[in-house]
Amino acid sequence: MLDDFGFDKLLDDDGLVARLLGKTRSGRNRKLLYGPDLPVLLLVGGPGTGKGRLLRCVRGDFGRHVPVARLDCALTGFREEAGQHPRSRSERTEALREIALQLGAWQGDGGGIPVPRLYAGLAAVAAGDRGGTVADVVDEVRRHDDLLPPGHFWRGVLNRAVRGYLGALAGLVTHAMAVPLINGVLDELLARTSREGEAALQECYGEYPGAGGHAKLGLHSLAAHFQQDREARETAENFLFRALREDVEAAYRSVRGRLSRVGRPALLLDHADNALGRRLLGPVLEDRENGHHDRLVIFATARRDDGGRFLYRAGDTDDTGPAAGRKPLDWHPAEGGLPSWTRPPGGGSGLASPSRGVVLVRMPLLTREQQKHGTARFQSPRPQAGNASRLRVEQGVHRLSGGRPLFVARLAEATAAARLPEDGSDWALLESPLRTGDEAETRPVADVLLEELVGCQLPEELPAEHRAHWLDLLSHLSAAHDAECAEALMRERQKDREERLSAYRIAELLRDSGWPHCPRHFIGDLGLRHLLMRRLYRLRPGGEAWREDHRLLRDRYGGAAEDAPDDLFGTAGAHRMHHHLAFADADTVTDYLERTFPAHGGRADTRSMREWCEELLAIAEAPLIGGPDDRRDRALGAVELPGDARRRRIDRLLHAVRLCEDRTRAVDDAVGGTLRKILERIGDESSHGAEVLTRVAGDWSDRVAGRQPLRPCACTRHIG
């Protein structure tokens, strides 16, 4: 699939990216969107929605015309580099170095962006290390020489300063402590810098807290703060990022910059909801809130639909009163137009929410037509006889993916040569082999998707002791509906572990990972739930893990009275029957439905027919994995069953509804056609339920005809 697939409204010539950067993908100029006060563009969407892919498009296409730096905040390399010299490096300084190196390597109009202010700050930090030898400190200072482009004015100025203080301090290399170095470095740096350079450093570091307009004092304080506790070091790191952004501003404001640079530069932060990304975005949002504007366009990615908890403070979610207007602007590309953002009035007091400076850009899910187009790209031309199989694949991709681009791409690629029967199940699609990378061997596409969507994107706050079995826990939870069900499973599955995760904490971790919530399913994404159910069935031979989990949940509700209230299923009995149907025979479920049917003279007269129908739907949603499938034959009355006519009709109804509610296959027209007839015939068995069943029959028949779920919920609303 093309990298830019589905991003038309974001990447076209009048789209959001072109208007923010002032350049199109082909290099034509565009009128800039917004003034000097820019928001941070936060690309939000769960796993597989294309956030990283969009950043690659921006860097690959627009990076030819404007300077672009891209950083993956989930990588551990910056932390590892910082760990080699923790007194003079941090994860953020290493990230800032990388950003500066990428901007300095720009070879387009105007050339690379020099970063003398950042260089001076990092040199001061390196020279301020009080625990290293002079030789070590000097090596750390010289490490930053690559931040100055060869032949540039600033490189000549600062290299002269470097040579000067290295010569002056050559006699100190045998000393153990580097305390004198910071003074020597700063004295030589400022003494040998030209008036222009000194003014630039004075303007920048003279604003450091407590500097009083003096660059040397500001640099000295910055280096000292870096050696102190977390809060003081954060102040220094925040200012270093401001220094880098001031370098970018200077490159555009200079005489050469005004003549040669067009548009705006960009910083792309992937996985910006991780700790490093939050620490980079925080000071930018605070600076811009306080009037320190810069022209760096920042695109950052976050998995949570609200952008991440770091955007908010207590009380920030109110829509009325003093907190009104603190929620970020929420923009959907599918709605057309461009987000008309302006900073809300007020703020600037240090207490304003950072969310005021953010535009949430919802990652677009693929439409039904886009899904068809994407699937067709992988399909080879076929004779007419292959059209049914292609249609079957398209329907399965639509049901499972929910428009999630990665899901669509992987399924389409894996099923490119598939020949699926028209009445086949989506479980067969998940078994389709997929070749990954240059490997000669293939793997089931379901395994690849689980690795990419879950295994490679573990929640940041997931404790280390649970990382190895995170997928196992989620697989068991695919059998659960609400948090109480899930907690019962977790207690059983973790009873031998010293450290445990509650279902409630897992729900938080799933939300932080960007997975949607469904009130009726603990795993709230249909495609992910099917991937996990398939994995659960294969955890132990013969699907025993699957059956054991459903037996556990069935027995959990066995101790309650059959008609005890249940929020999701109506009664505890219906909840128990759902799990029984998922792992065992259907006869017991049919007996339950016949026993509770509101027929005249029976115990169930006190219950309404509508409630009985709702229970039937909840029970019949039980998935079928593995084993023989006789649902169609039983729904059509092709199987001889014991019992009277009413019991046989209820059994037919149960299996017809179960097939109609099976979200892994297209609705069977024969089954859908007989559903109304069965309901109307069953209505004859109830003296007061015929009217209700007639209305239910009409409603369900309309839903079947429209390929809609009989019992819609948040994770199936896309099907139709």
Side-chain angles (χ1 to χ4, degrees):
M1 184 175 291
L2 296 174
D3 270 353
D4 60 358
F5 189 68
F7 296 150
D8 301 15
K9 294 186 178 181
L10 287 166
L11 300 178
D12 65 21
D13 287 357
D14 290 305
L16 179 65
V17 177
R19 290 293 306 280
L20 281 168
L21 301 183
K23 286 283 188 179
T24 68
R25 301 168 82 176
S26 60
R28 294 195 297 272
N29 293 342
R30 277 292 179 269
K31 182 180 178 181
L32 290 172
L33 184 65
Y34 310 132
D37 186 9
L38 290 175
V40 168
L41 285 302
L42 208 54
L43 312 176
V44 294
T49 53
K51 302 180 297 297
R53 184 165 56 92
L54 178 58
L55 295 188
R56 289 196 298 271
C57 290
V58 174
R59 185 178 189 182
D61 295 343
F62 294 87
R64 296 173 294 173
H65 311 296
V66 295
V68 174
R70 183 175 184 268
L71 208 68
D72 188 344
C73 300
L75 297 179
T76 60
F78 303 123
R79 191 182 313 119
E80 293 167 358
E81 286 288 332
Q84 296 177 13
H85 292 273
R87 292 186 302 272
S88 58
R89 302 180 194 176
S90 71
E91 192 176 14
R92 262 204 287 179
T93 62
E94 296 307 294
L96 293 176
R97 267 182 51 84
E98 177 60 26
I99 295 169
L101 289 171
Q102 291 187 34
L103 294 177
W106 164 250
Q107 297 180 355
D109 295 341
I113 294 179
V115 291
R117 295 161 183 80
L118 178 64
Y119 171 88
L122 291 177
V125 167
D129 178 9
R130 299 181 180 182
T133 65
V134 171
D136 290 339
V137 173
V138 168
D139 287 343
E140 276 296 287
V141 174
R142 293 304 305 265
R143 175 173 176 261
H144 300 304
D145 284 357
D146 55 358
L147 294 178
L148 300 173
H152 194 276
F153 166 78
W154 274 100
R155 186 176 182 88
V157 169
L158 292 178
N159 268 349
R160 287 196 299 275
V162 169
R163 287 195 298 270
Y165 66 65
L166 289 182
L169 299 170
L172 298 176
V173 294
T174 59
H175 290 217
M177 298 300 293
V179 176
L181 275 182
I182 180 66
N183 293 324
V185 167
L186 295 182
D187 285 341
E188 290 293 332
L189 182 64
L190 294 172
R192 296 171 184 271
T193 300
S194 67
R195 290 184 179 179
E196 178 186 348
E198 184 179 2
L201 294 180
Q202 201 81 1
E203 180 183 5
C204 177
Y205 288 99
E207 291 190 1
Y208 193 83
H214 299 285
K216 180 180 178 181
L217 183 55
L219 286 165
H220 207 295
S221 297
L222 181 144
H225 284 164
F226 197 88
Q227 299 296 318
Q228 295 176 22
D229 58 20
R230 176 180 176 182
E231 186 173 350
R233 175 173 279 206
E234 283 184 355
T235 300
E237 292 175 332
N238 293 351
F239 202 89
L240 287 172
F241 197 4
R242 183 192 295 184
L244 173 58
R245 300 197 309 277
E246 289 190 12
D247 282 329
V248 173
E249 279 296 291
Y252 276 79
R253 286 198 312 262
S254 67
V255 174
R256 181 185 176 189
R258 290 195 298 269
L259 293 175
S260 59
R261 298 187 190 276
V262 179
R264 293 178 178 135
L267 173 60
L268 314 178
L269 298 177
D270 203 1
H271 301 105
D273 48 352
N274 280 13
L276 174 59
R278 298 195 300 270
R279 290 198 294 268
L280 289 171
L281 287 178
V284 176
L285 293 169
E286 185 175 350
D287 280 349
R288 292 180 179 180
E289 179 69 39
N290 293 326
H292 294 281
H293 301 150
D294 60 86
R295 72 188 69 209
L296 188 64
V297 178
I298 299 179
F299 293 94
T301 70
R303 292 178 291 183
R304 277 177 60 127
D305 58 2
D306 61 3
R309 285 172 292 184
F310 82 102
L311 288 181
Y312 303 94
R313 299 191 179 110
D316 285 352
T317 55
D318 292 339
D319 291 323
T320 59
R326 290 181 175 178
K327 285 187 176 181
L329 175 66
D330 196 335
W331 181 67
H332 296 255
E335 295 175 354
L338 294 172
S340 49
W341 177 87
T342 55
R343 190 175 297 277
S349 64
L351 299 177
S353 169
S355 62
R356 290 162 44 92
V358 166
V359 172
L360 296 183
V361 179
R362 300 286 174 190
M363 290 304 297
L365 298 177
L366 299 180
T367 65
R368 187 71 180 268
E369 284 303 312
Q370 288 174 324
Q371 293 174 45
K372 288 182 179 179
H373 176 60
T375 304
R377 286 191 65 254
F378 290 95
Q379 304 286 330
S380 57
R382 298 181 181 177
Q384 190 69 23
N387 289 343
S389 178
R390 175 180 295 181
L391 178 62
R392 174 68 192 83
V393 170
E394 289 176 355
Q395 292 172 341
V397 169
H398 170 65
R399 282 191 293 269
L400 289 168
S401 71
R404 211 173 279 266
L406 180 64
F407 225 124
V408 173
R410 289 290 182 246
L411 286 176
E413 185 179 0
T415 58
R419 297 294 186 272
L420 299 174
E422 190 174 354
D423 61 346
S425 166
D426 292 347
W427 300 113
L429 267 67
L430 295 178
E431 297 298 330
S432 301
L434 180 67
R435 181 175 289 106
T436 56
D438 297 327
E439 299 176 6
E441 296 183 359
T442 60
R443 299 167 58 198
V445 65
D447 294 343
V448 176
L449 279 168
L450 268 182
E451 180 179 340
E452 293 181 333
L453 293 171
V454 180
C456 295
Q457 303 188 54
L458 297 177
E460 181 188 17
E461 296 181 6
L462 179 66
E465 60 269 21
H466 294 291
R467 291 178 174 259
H469 62 275
W470 176 242
L471 264 177
D472 288 344
L473 293 180
L474 295 186
S475 298
H476 289 296
L477 290 171
S478 66
H481 291 87
D482 57 10
E484 292 183 4
C485 273
E487 184 65 9
L489 284 171
M490 289 300 93
R491 283 196 297 268
E492 177 66 23
R493 293 307 179 189
Q494 299 179 96
K495 61 184 179 182
D496 297 328
R497 295 184 180 275
E498 183 67 26
E499 300 293 336
R500 304 175 186 176
L501 277 177
S502 73
Y504 306 99
R505 180 59 179 140
I506 292 174
E508 289 181 347
L509 294 174
L510 286 172
R511 188 184 175 198
D512 286 346
S513 299
W515 291 108
H517 171 70
C518 175
R520 296 216 310 266
H521 300 92
F522 189 84
I523 303 296
D525 182 87
L526 180 69
L528 175 63
R529 190 162 68 249
H530 278 83
L531 294 176
L532 293 170
M533 285 194 293
R534 172 190 173 276
R535 188 176 185 277
L536 175 60
Y537 192 82
R538 286 161 173 74
L539 276 181
R540 291 167 60 185
E544 184 54 34
W546 166 267
R547 284 193 284 271
E548 190 173 300
D549 281 349
H550 281 285
R551 274 197 296 266
L552 186 150
L553 293 175
R554 179 203 63 182
D555 296 343
R556 179 179 185 274
Y557 293 95
E562 196 170 73
D563 57 353
D566 185 278
D567 291 339
L568 294 182
F569 289 80
T571 64
H575 202 156
R576 184 168 68 252
M577 287 300 105
H578 170 91
H579 292 292
H580 186 91
L581 186 60
F583 80 90
D585 65 279
D587 291 336
T588 303
V589 180
T590 300
D591 292 339
Y592 169 85
L593 290 170
E594 184 191 20
R595 185 171 66 254
T596 58
F597 183 73
H600 178 68
R603 173 184 65 82
D605 272 345
T606 56
R607 304 176 58 206
S608 74
M609 185 64 76
R610 172 66 67 178
E611 291 173 341
W612 186 84
C613 291
E614 290 298 326
E615 281 195 10
L616 167 63
L617 286 179
I619 293 171
E621 193 188 60
L624 177 68
I625 306 180
D629 184 2
D630 63 349
R631 292 175 298 176
R632 189 174 189 276
D633 289 339
R634 292 180 73 155
L636 297 179
V639 176
E640 289 292 334
L641 297 172
D644 59 17
R646 186 175 72 183
R647 186 187 187 281
R648 290 194 296 271
R649 287 168 188 155
I650 289 176
D651 186 86
R652 290 184 63 190
L653 178 62
L654 169 65
H655 288 87
V657 172
R658 194 181 186 193
L659 279 172
C660 291
E661 283 294 85
D662 188 347
R663 305 326 314 168
T664 67
R665 62 180 65 232
V667 175
D668 188 307
D669 290 335
V671 173
T674 196
L675 183 62
R676 182 167 193 155
K677 297 177 183 177
I678 300 174
L679 281 165
E680 291 175 345
R681 290 298 304 276
I682 291 178
D684 297 339
E685 303 291 333
S686 175
S687 62
H688 63 282
E691 180 183 359
V692 171
L693 285 179
T694 299
R695 288 199 301 268
V696 168
D699 178 46
W700 289 4
S701 296
D702 289 344
R703 290 183 178 277
V704 169
R707 301 299 192 257
Q708 296 291 325
L710 300 182
R711 190 175 184 241
C713 66
C715 58
T716 60
R717 64 180 54 160
H718 67 280
I719 299 175

